[in-house]
Amino acid sequence: MIIFLLLIHLVICVAVYVLLQRNIIKTKSILFPVVVFVPIWGVLMLVIEELSENRDQMGSKAVDIDKLKIQDAKYRRIKVDSGENQDITVPLEEAILINDTEVRRKLMLDILHRNPEDYIELLQRARLANDVEITHYATTTMMEIQSNYELRLQKLSQEAKRQPENIAVLEQYRAELVKYIDSGLITGNILTIYRNQLEDVLYKLMTLCPSNKTYLYGWIDNKVAMKSYDGVLEKLNEAKEQWPEDEMVYQLFVKYHFSTGRGDLIKAVLEEVKSKQIYLTHEGKNWLRFWRQEEA
């Protein structure tokens, strides 16, 4: 009889050991010696502890980031610290969609503490979140970013006045203006003010560097964006004369004609690209395909 009971106890111990190894039993393995050396009572303690553990975990569910879906592939992926594993990547959109408040907050704050200026779109989304802490942080961070832009541009503006023919200073000023304008932080009259500043800087750079098409293209693009067309057509023809094989010239012509409501001239430009067999990059081919569909 004793031998039979010992055999049953041995089987129970083996079974408990296997379940612990496979993580089927969530109870801490420290109870396993009790199961081995205290027959019956040890097993009862294990059962009670396991039931208690399961009850504590009811209603909670671990967030499996790998199962979250992104609807748009354009969202960037960035690294997020996670203890020993530094290589976990989380799409920006997923950080907002996570339902677990603590996890979402940790991810968002970790993302935003890295380089907030790279994630202005995310900050704008975060301002509308239900989490008060994240909303406050996002709003404050955007104000700080805008203030930093204003200070940098003020210094560059003063430096450009002191050195009106210093190409390096003007280029830095231009680049900073473009970043601020493209950031989405400013709209309305404030945006117009900075676009006017950009126009002046680009005009100076065009004068100093007449063979640099970046400045000419930028000046045209900025003028069209402001719907200020004085001198634009003249500069477009100038660009076409200098770089007749450059796809960007034709894209700027289309942008100008679209802004001025001349669909017939858009069609003429597209036909010219085709007849002249202008070399197009991958982006250029997508651009041409898009406008052909629009015309169709």
Side-chain angles (χ1 to χ4, degrees), residues 55-100:
R55 185 176 62 252
D56 290 341
Q57 293 183 2
M58 286 181 65
S60 65
K61 184 177 181 180
V63 177
D64 187 353
I65 294 178
D66 292 334
K67 292 182 179 179
L68 294 173
K69 297 180 180 179
I70 312 173
Q71 300 300 323
D72 193 334
K74 72 178 181 180
Y75 291 111
R76 292 175 289 175
R77 301 178 75 87
I78 66 170
K79 291 184 178 179
V80 179
D81 290 335
S82 58
E84 297 178 357
N85 186 356
Q86 303 291 323
D87 297 324
I88 295 177
T89 58
V90 182
L92 300 184
E93 188 73 357
E94 291 183 1
I96 296 176
L97 295 177
I98 292 174
N99 291 325
D100 188 288

Side-chain angles (χ1 to χ4, degrees), residues 147-159:
S147 177
N148 290 335
Y149 267 120
E150 300 280 355
L151 288 173
R152 290 197 299 268
L153 288 169
Q154 185 178 1
K155 290 179 181 179
L156 286 168
S157 175
Q158 294 170 355
E159 191 65 27

Side-chain angles (χ1 to χ4, degrees), residues 97 248 287-288:
L97 295 177
M248 184 55 67
W287 165 81
L288 185 61

Side-chain angles (χ1 to χ4, degrees), residues 224-242:
V224 172
M226 291 192 295
K227 297 188 181 299
S228 174
Y229 306 115
D230 292 342
V232 172
L233 190 56
E234 179 184 348
K235 290 298 182 183
L236 279 168
N237 289 324
E238 182 181 322
K240 187 177 181 181
E241 184 177 346
Q242 291 190 67

Side-chain angles (χ1 to χ4, degrees), residues 128-185:
L128 304 177
N130 294 325
D131 191 307
V132 176
E133 182 177 343
I134 291 177
T135 301
H136 173 74
Y137 180 81
T139 302
T140 304
T141 303
M142 288 184 69
M143 291 175 64
E144 289 177 358
I145 293 172
Q146 193 160 357
S147 177
N148 290 335
Y149 267 120
E150 300 280 355
L151 288 173
R152 290 197 299 268
L153 288 169
Q154 185 178 1
K155 290 179 181 179
L156 286 168
S157 175
Q158 294 170 355
E159 191 65 27
K161 288 178 181 178
R162 285 193 294 266
Q163 304 183 65
E165 296 187 356
N166 188 319
I167 295 174
V169 172
L170 292 172
E171 166 58 26
Q172 188 178 359
Y173 190 17
R174 179 202 69 85
E176 196 69 20
L177 282 167
V178 170
K179 281 178 60 180
Y180 195 26
I181 289 168
D182 291 345
S183 70
L185 287 169

